[in-house]
């Protein structure tokens, strides 16, 4: 436990020294919501195709998931890819550091950044655009934790196998954009066809958006959405530890 904590402390310092990762992980979600709400025409007004709700209300949970996806699929994999490419993992192999400890340290650091980004985004939504704060906070917290776990597990799997920084970036980005589509970034889930919505619910980002949106507005999240995220987190996370390569 002490070794994992020490490793987590080191990884958090390294993350804080990377201005690009820090910006996109911590600042970008809240800034995106602010820009959309202030400058996108009609974003802060009731919309007929959303049953009178505003786009800002619908996109608030989407932006949270976008932040998680950016951290999990764009930021996390290249870190492990870089460590492998430059032999850092090879040197760690001579120490008692088990791969699970390194992956756990990365997971803790990225979840911490994700939580901070989520708090900033929620405060902007509430105080700037009068979006109500999550009305079922416990369900919201559980949904967010499962969303982070499922998305980061995929990022850890990519990072566990990618041989270089470029490979990790390519694979991560290759997963990032299709998943954003199913999360409703370009087409809101509320206007998706029934078949497309079913496929979206089977993806971690689609289930994450739905669970966060439900709990945000006081509705108990669907057991299906929660189980989908849990399954991705447990299964993919276990595979990431199993297939982890030092070099």
């Amino acid at each position: 436990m002490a070794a994992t904590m020490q490793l987590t402390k080191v990884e958090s310092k390294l993350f804080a020294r990377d201005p690009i990762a820090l910006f996109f992980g911590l600042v970008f979600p809240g800034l995106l919501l602010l820009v959309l709400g202030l400058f996108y025409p009609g974003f802060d007004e009731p919309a007929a195709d959303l049953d009178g709700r505003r786009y800002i209300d619908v996109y608030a949970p989407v932006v949270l998931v976008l932040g998680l996806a950016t951290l999990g699929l764009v930021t996390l994999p290249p870190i492990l890819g870089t460590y492998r490419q430059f032999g850092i993992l090879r040197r760690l192999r001579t120490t008692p550091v088990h791969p699970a400890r390194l992956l756990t340290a990365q997971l803790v650091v990225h979840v911490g950044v994700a939580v901070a980004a989520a708090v900033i985004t929620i405060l902007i939504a509430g105080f700037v655009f009068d979006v109500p704060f999550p009305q079922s906070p416990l369900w919201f917290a559980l949904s967010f934790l499962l969303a982070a776990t499922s998305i980061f597990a995929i990022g850890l799997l990519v990072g566990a196998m990618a041989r270089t920084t470029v490979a990790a970036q390519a694979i991560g980005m290759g997963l990032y954009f299709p998943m954003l589509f199913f999360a409703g970034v370009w087409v809101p889930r509320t206007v998706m066809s029934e078949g497309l919505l079913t496929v979206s619910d089977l993806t971690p980002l689609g289930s994450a958006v739905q669970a966060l949106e439900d709990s945000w507005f006081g509705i108990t999240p669907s057991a299906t959405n929660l189980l989908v995220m849990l399954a991705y987190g447990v299964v993919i996370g276990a595979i990431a530890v199993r297939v982890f390569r030092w070099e």
Side-chain angles (χ1 to χ4, degrees), residues 87-138:
I88 297 173
L89 294 181
R90 189 187 310 118
R91 290 192 288 271
L92 282 175
R93 190 177 186 180
T94 62
T95 72
V97 178
H98 189 273
R101 290 182 177 177
L102 179 62
L103 299 184
T104 298
Q106 287 293 337
L107 186 62
V108 170
V109 171
H110 281 74
V111 168
V113 175
V115 170
V119 170
I120 294 172
T121 303
I122 292 171
L123 291 177
I124 290 175
F127 288 112
V128 179
F129 302 110
D130 294 324
V131 177
F133 292 118
Q135 298 177 29
S136 298
L138 293 181

Side-chain angles (χ1 to χ4, degrees), residues 14 32 42 49 61 74 81 93 104 117 119 123 139 148 162 167 174 177 182 190 198 200 214:
L14 292 174
L32 176 62
D49 57 344
V74 179
R93 190 177 186 180
T104 298
V119 170
L123 291 177
W139 281 117
F177 289 105
F182 290 114
T190 51
T198 300
S200 175
D214 286 342

